[in-house]
Amino acid sequence: MRVDEVSAPQTLNDAVAVFKRWPEAIVWAGGTLLYRRAARENSKAAVSIVDLGNIHELKTIMRTDRYLELGACVCLADILDLPATLSLEPLRTAVGKIGSATIRNMATIGGNLAAKDFFMTCFAPLICMDAAIEIRDKNGARWAGMQNFINQDGSPAFPSASILSRIRIPISNWNATAIKVMGNMEAGEPCPATFAASARVEKDILSEARLILAGKRLARDRNLELALAGKRLPLAARDMDMAKQNGFLAARAAGFSE
């Protein structure tokens, strides 16, 4: 790509104003995704860039009794440095699987979530955690659950001419979590996928479960999650077979191959 114009606003309001002039501008935070895109596409098309690196508000981390709030430009390495006593699974494990230490020092949580072509590594675990994101655009600021940024066909639905400003994560413990990253962007694979699972268990009863597979599209079977709730652990063989079959069908419907 060829960079035609660059703006480096100092405030969120200034950044939103830039999008009024350049609605198709590309947001620059850590820049890691843009580096990969430029290397992959080798395009000569001119682009305008909005650099968010000077906006202090986007780099803040705030904790309340109920939530952890991350500014969109908080780098992934800073998330790993948060106290181990803070309940951040399955997000913490997912972040640790992203690239090298150098990449994690550059890449931001907002950049990971706002990709428009596919869901990157942090999207699935944050849905498991009931996270919400704040969007800023010409109409103001609004909070929405992450499921609102998925099209009906399961593809990403992050709005154009908008800035992801904050991520709000409920502070709550999950008894068990799992992350499986499939594919490797650094190895040249165009669209890796992430499977995220989380569960709450009370007296050997599975009270709640979340199962998300996200790549170019996102697969989730809410009926399966509800069917698993209330089951005694360990799961019976018929329940395991049901979960595998329904999960396979949901993934295939979303376009995932075997």
Side-chain angles (χ1 to χ4, degrees):
M1 71 179 71
R2 187 183 82 248
V3 177
D4 191 34
E5 299 172 292
V6 177
S7 176
Q10 303 295 310
T11 69
L12 274 170
N13 287 339
D14 290 344
V16 170
V18 172
F19 275 110
K20 291 180 180 179
R21 302 195 309 271
W22 307 340
E24 301 302 319
I26 296 175
V27 171
W28 176 287
T32 54
L33 188 59
L34 289 182
Y35 286 135
R36 292 166 180 157
R37 174 179 167 182
R40 183 173 67 248
E41 296 180 356
N42 194 28
S43 171
K44 301 298 184 181
V47 298
S48 300
I49 288 179
V50 182
D51 182 356
L52 303 181
N54 295 324
I55 303 177
H56 175 74
E57 179 182 348
L58 297 180
K59 298 179 181 180
T60 60
I61 299 175
M62 184 179 71
R63 180 182 176 183
T64 69
D65 291 338
R66 298 176 57 197
Y67 299 102
L68 176 73
E69 284 192 0
L70 303 173
C73 285
V74 169
C75 70
L76 300 180
D78 286 344
I79 295 175
L80 292 180
D81 287 340
L82 289 169
T85 54
L86 189 60
S87 298
L88 278 181
E89 294 298 342
L91 176 62
R92 195 191 303 270
T93 296
V95 169
K97 293 178 179 291
I98 297 174
S100 63
T102 300
I103 292 294
R104 292 191 294 271
N105 277 318
M106 296 172 58
T108 64
I109 183 65
N112 194 278
L113 297 180
K116 296 183 179 181
D117 297 328
F118 62 95
F119 298 104
M120 297 183 71
T121 308
C122 294
F123 201 95
L126 282 173
I127 285 190
C128 284
M129 300 170 77
D130 294 325
I133 60 179
E134 183 187 55
I135 297 294
R136 301 283 187 102
D137 59 23
K138 63 181 181 180
N139 298 314
R142 67 185 186 277
W143 284 95
M146 294 186 58
Q147 67 275 4
N148 292 287
F149 300 94
I150 306 168
N151 288 315
Q152 282 192 327
D153 66 355
S155 61
F158 192 82
S160 300
S162 301
I163 298 170
L164 192 164
S165 50
R166 288 185 289 174
I167 302 95
R168 178 179 289 169
I169 308 170
I171 297 175
S172 58
N173 288 316
W174 293 90
N175 300 93
T177 63
I179 292 290
K180 174 67 175 178
V181 176
M182 294 157 280
N184 187 338
M185 190 180 298
E186 280 74 21
E189 298 174 26
C191 187
T194 302
F195 173 75
S198 56
R200 288 195 176 97
V201 179
E202 300 175 5
K203 297 181 179 180
D204 295 330
I205 300 296
L206 182 61
S207 62
E208 193 172 4
R210 309 283 173 81
L211 304 166
I212 312 288
L213 177 63
K216 196 163 187 177
R217 295 187 180 181
L218 185 141
R220 181 182 188 182
D221 187 336
R222 293 179 183 269
N223 290 328
L224 171 59
E225 294 173 354
L226 290 172
L228 291 174
K231 299 290 185 180
R232 182 172 294 277
L233 298 179
L235 291 174
R238 65 179 181 278
D239 293 325
M240 290 290 293
D241 290 341
M242 177 270 294
K244 290 177 182 177
Q245 179 65 16
N246 287 15
F248 171 78
L249 292 174
R252 188 169 64 180
F256 290 94
S257 63
E258 298 183 38

